[in-house]
Amino acid sequence: MTKNEIADVLEEIGTLLELKGENPFKVRAYQAGARALEAIEDAELTRLIAEEQLKTVKGIGDALSQKITELHTTGKLEFFEKLKASIEPGLAEMLQIPGLGPKKIRALHDKLGIASIAALTKACHDGTVAALDGFGEKTQEKILAGIKNREAYGKRHLWWDAWEIATPIVAGLRQLPGVSQAESAGSLRRGLETVGDLDFIVAAGDVAPVVAWFTGQPHVKEVTASGETKASVRFESGLQADLRIVPEEQFAFALHHFTGSKDHNVQLRQRALGRGLSLSEWGLVPAEGEGTAKEKAEALKSAKGGKLKIKNETELFAALGLHFIPPELREGLGEIEAAEKGELPRLVELGDLRGAFHNHTTASDGRNTLAEMTAAAEALGWEYLGIADHSKSSFQANGLSEERLLKQVAEIHALNASKKFKTHVFTGVECDILPDGRLDYEDAVLAKLDYVVASVHNAFTQDEATMTARIICAIEHPRTTMLGHLTGRLLLRREGYRVDAVKVIDAAIAHGVVIELNASPWRLDMDWRHWRKAAERGLVCSVNPDAHETAGLEQVRAGMNSARKGWLTKDNVLNTRTLAAVRKKLSR
Ligand code: DGT
Ligand code: CA
Ligand code: CA
Ligand code: ZN
């Protein structure tokens, strides 16, 4: 395990111990251990363990040192497994309610005997929670809202989580004997920000072994359907997956159909009918009783033997007089008309990215050092990396004072001068937009940076007009380069704050300010639904990983889904530009 993964386990142990009502010193020891781990580098951890010197690190005692060593060498920890098993499932489930921590859950359990979300819901409705010491009406309302959110979103999954599960499954399916093609379909393939279930399409002659492999995978909790040509399973995580197996000649049709979306499918089927053809998951055949005689004759002419021979989706679209429509665009939002006229955009691709802005380090709330983040960016082949740690008002995220910020700027200049890495590092900050719209540092401090990401991190409950004016005020600041996460939403967890997106977009265009597409799988903010129109009107996008650790840089992949769903081309995205071009833009 890496040190960040180990830190996650220690953090979770702390939470579970707190939930059990353990001694606060013990709880804090695990939290401190997690912090201490984050402050050292991976290579350093390996060395310390090899030399049995881990205990010499401040914040890591004897007991912790043993547990870290066990996790590092075996990837498992018996103590942790036992601890998890000892927690009442209902209590562990309550941890999933946003805004409800272990201490409060403990109090609810001890004083009201609550041990499940259902019991908690009832107690909130009765008002007994509000009457409890340290809770009150407001907390009770917040808990109820959290429960409702969990119910509304609980059935969907983040695209990133779904993708991580689906990727090895597709690889596994492709390796089975007799399988000629296998793909993910559905909302995952369309790059939607959340996914209801996974859909897999396989072309194979022999069905039984494919079904057997699929239903026999580890982590399958339940086989919900299993038949001649399909199977459905539910994994331990709660995610469900559908599998369909078709003969080779049907693969393109099945893949297209199950990729969807429904709206896109309905429109495309309509178009086929207009040409005397009937499109389905099985194939494209002349429609009976539809279209003019001439159209039918033409359709028949191209439909050899009653069924069009179509090898892939490109040929399927071509048979309907269309250019290939990338899956991300198949939302029934005008893509078919554009494909007919040859006006589909050439969408930006992951490989077009040459760097990324808005990344955190251990200076604020990140888990990897400046050097580690830069090394990771270099490994991705990036020409540049923008650092943007939190500003001083974000004290909960260890935001930087002026002195610490200027010290970091000096460190970055020294790192660039050392030529240790091929990747150039830009100095920046994620500067809080204060409730009145001012920025969190004096102009003289901001002037020392290459760029500024301005973001809202507090006073989320302002009304829409106030919030919109606040953000526009920050956009008007001459030092603002880009706007961070427009709405602050956390997918499946928390609604964004109320803001008039169109007014903010107008202001950004007018002041030459970039808006970020925050690529964190939890955010994907600004939402893809705004981008097409915004970019047409001249808004520039920056796909920002908002990475808090080295692995976070790769989450630009999730942001690229949204960029593509927003019809963005390479020209619309700032971080596809060369280092020289970015330097020039930032120096202005
Ligand atoms: P999800 O799973 O809720 O995130 O969304 P999808 O799009 O993956 O939906 P899913 O898994 O129910 O079905 C996969 C695709 O199959 C869907 O995008 C389009 C196609 N499909 C499913 N049901 C229908 C239907 O009733 N009519 C049409 N035209 N297509 C359907
Ligand atoms: Ca699906
Ligand atoms: Ca499905
Ligand atoms: Zn932020």
Side-chain angles (χ1 to χ4, degrees), residues 206-513:
D206 195 1
V207 172
V210 183
V211 170
W213 181 87
F214 186 73
T215 55
Q217 294 178 90
H219 305 299
V220 166
K221 194 174 175 201
E222 194 187 346
V223 177
T224 48
S226 172
E228 296 267 293
T229 56
K230 56 186 184 182
S232 299
V233 297
R234 192 203 317 275
F235 296 106
E236 280 156 7
S237 67
L239 183 65
Q240 303 197 55
D242 292 335
L243 166 74
R244 280 180 186 77
I245 304 150
V246 297
E248 175 74 36
E249 64 274 18
Q250 267 174 29
F251 184 76
F253 296 105
L255 179 63
H256 176 270
H257 175 84
F258 290 107
T259 295
S261 67
K262 212 163 157 176
D263 288 346
H264 168 89
N265 286 357
V266 168
Q267 290 175 19
L268 199 65
R269 199 171 304 153
Q270 217 47 49
R271 179 180 177 86
L273 284 177
R275 309 183 141 225
L277 293 165
S278 165
L279 173 67
S280 73
E281 57 185 289
W282 317 111
L284 190 59
V285 296
E288 289 162 86
E290 304 264 356
T292 65
K294 182 165 166 260
E295 278 167 349
K296 264 203 228 168
E298 272 171 12
L300 268 173
K301 208 164 61 188
S302 52
K304 296 178 201 94
K307 212 177 226 176
L308 280 175
K309 287 267 182 290
I310 281 184
K311 285 199 298 291
N312 53 42
E313 284 185 333
T314 303
E315 293 184 6
L316 191 162
F317 284 117
L320 295 170
L322 300 172
H323 289 263
F324 176 79
I325 302 176
E328 295 91 335
L329 299 189
R330 301 183 198 166
E331 295 292 347
L333 297 172
E335 69 275 11
I336 294 175
E337 293 82 339
E340 174 172 46
K341 295 188 206 138
E343 287 173 0
L344 284 172
R346 179 144 177 214
L347 298 180
V348 62
E349 289 170 14
L350 190 57
D352 292 333
L353 295 185
R354 292 171 181 263
F357 303 93
H358 193 173
N359 298 293
H360 298 266
T361 72
T362 44
S364 68
D365 61 347
R367 311 177 89 181
N368 287 102
T369 61
L370 171 64
E372 287 172 325
M373 293 298 282
T374 312
E378 184 183 52
L380 289 172
W382 286 356
E383 290 172 32
Y384 48 89
L385 175 73
I387 297 300
D389 271 308
H390 285 287
S391 66
K392 60 186 179 187
S393 289
S394 276
F395 48 85
Q396 76 291 342
N398 188 25
L400 274 58
S401 65
E402 281 85 355
E403 293 90 291
R404 287 172 60 218
L405 177 63
L406 295 179
K407 189 170 150 256
Q408 185 187 51
V409 169
E411 260 175 60
I412 292 174
H413 287 160
L415 185 71
N416 285 333
S418 77
K419 300 243 159 41
K420 196 172 162 206
F421 300 107
K422 286 197 209 81
T423 304
H424 176 81
V425 182
F426 284 114
T427 60
V429 72
E430 183 179 16
C431 188
D432 270 30
I433 302 174
L434 302 176
D436 62 2
R438 283 180 305 131
L439 295 185
D440 199 14
Y441 293 115
E442 297 301 322
D443 294 5
V445 174
L446 295 176
K448 302 253 199 275
L449 305 169
D450 291 328
Y451 73 102
V452 173
V453 184
S455 305
V456 166
H457 287 122
N458 60 15
F460 290 167
T461 52
Q462 288 180 340
D463 62 68
E464 185 176 308
T466 309
M467 182 62 87
T468 304
R470 171 186 182 184
I471 293 175
I472 290 176
C473 179
I475 284 173
E476 288 167 348
H477 193 293
R479 290 286 163 201
T480 300
T481 317
M482 56 180 88
L483 175 69
H485 41 69
L486 171 70
T487 74
R489 75 176 179 190
L490 292 179
L491 292 164
L492 313 180
R493 272 198 193 167
R494 171 178 95 194
E495 299 280 347
Y497 29 82
R498 281 155 299 170
V499 55
D500 186 331
V502 175
K503 281 198 183 133
V504 170
I505 291 165
D506 280 341
I509 294 168
H511 290 86
V513 165

Side-chain angles (χ1 to χ4, degrees), residues 197-199 242 244:
D197 70 355
L198 302 180
D199 304 276
D242 292 335
R244 280 180 186 77

Side-chain angles (χ1 to χ4, degrees), residues 7-330:
D8 283 337
V9 172
L10 298 185
E11 199 75 63
E12 198 177 338
I13 290 176
T15 304
L16 295 179
L17 289 176
E18 205 172 359
L19 191 59
K20 288 190 80 156
E22 287 275 356
N23 174 341
F25 289 107
K26 211 166 155 187
V27 171
R28 241 172 284 148
Y30 282 94
Q31 292 164 343
R35 291 289 86 72
L37 263 191
E38 283 166 3
I40 56 179
E41 309 208 341
D42 260 313
E44 177 77 353
L45 177 65
T46 309
R47 186 184 66 79
L48 287 168
I49 287 176
E51 296 173 3
E52 299 188 14
Q53 293 294 309
L54 202 51
K55 312 194 271 282
T56 64
V57 177
K58 192 167 165 274
I60 299 181
D62 233 343
L64 218 52
S65 147
Q66 276 175 26
K67 293 190 171 85
I68 293 169
T69 304
E70 191 176 331
L71 282 165
H72 188 260
T73 44
T74 69
K76 272 204 206 104
L77 180 63
E78 201 184 330
F79 169 78
F80 180 45
E81 298 305 321
K82 281 192 177 144
L83 178 64
K84 277 196 285 189
S86 74
I87 308 270
E88 272 183 74
L91 292 186
E93 209 172 43
M94 279 159 74
L95 280 171
Q96 297 166 8
I97 300 170
L100 195 59
K103 229 181 259 141
K104 284 214 162 71
I105 296 175
R106 187 81 229 149
L108 289 164
H109 180 265
D110 290 353
K111 297 193 183 136
L112 298 176
I114 291 171
S116 69
I117 293 180
L120 178 60
T121 311
K122 187 171 171 295
C124 283
H125 285 304
D126 294 349
T128 35
V129 171
L132 204 59
D133 236 14
F135 281 75
E137 285 291 341
K138 248 196 163 147
T139 307
Q140 178 171 284
E141 263 170 48
K142 247 172 103 178
I143 294 174
L144 267 182
I147 294 173
K148 243 174 86 189
N149 255 348
R150 188 182 163 276
E151 279 169 3
Y153 296 128
K155 291 189 188 83
R156 297 191 70 80
H157 304 263
L158 294 183
W159 181 88
W160 186 269
D161 294 342
W163 177 74
E164 283 194 324
I165 293 176
T167 304
I169 295 177
V170 172
L173 287 167
R174 283 181 184 157
Q175 277 177 5
L176 296 176
V179 168
S180 58
Q181 295 190 72
E183 289 287 353
S184 272
S187 51
L188 182 84
R189 183 165 182 242
R190 300 201 312 281
L192 206 58
E193 63 275 23
T194 64
V195 167
D197 70 355
L198 302 180
D199 304 276
F200 298 100
I201 310 298
V202 168
D206 195 1
V207 172
V210 183
V211 170
W213 181 87
F214 186 73
T215 55
Q217 294 178 90
H219 305 299
V220 166
K221 194 174 175 201
E222 194 187 346
V223 177
T224 48
S226 172
E228 296 267 293
T229 56
K230 56 186 184 182
S232 299
V233 297
R234 192 203 317 275
F235 296 106
E236 280 156 7
S237 67
L239 183 65
Q240 303 197 55
D242 292 335
L243 166 74
R244 280 180 186 77
I245 304 150
V246 297
E248 175 74 36
E249 64 274 18
Q250 267 174 29
F251 184 76
F253 296 105
L255 179 63
H256 176 270
H257 175 84
F258 290 107
T259 295
S261 67
K262 212 163 157 176
D263 288 346
H264 168 89
N265 286 357
V266 168
Q267 290 175 19
L268 199 65
R269 199 171 304 153
Q270 217 47 49
R271 179 180 177 86
L273 284 177
R275 309 183 141 225
L277 293 165
S278 165
L279 173 67
S280 73
E281 57 185 289
W282 317 111
L284 190 59
V285 296
E288 289 162 86
E290 304 264 356
T292 65
K294 182 165 166 260
E295 278 167 349
K296 264 203 228 168
E298 272 171 12
L300 268 173
K301 208 164 61 188
S302 52
K304 296 178 201 94
K307 212 177 226 176
L308 280 175
K309 287 267 182 290
I310 281 184
K311 285 199 298 291
N312 53 42
E313 284 185 333
T314 303
E315 293 184 6
L316 191 162
F317 284 117
L320 295 170
L322 300 172
H323 289 263
F324 176 79
I325 302 176
E328 295 91 335
L329 299 189
R330 301 183 198 166

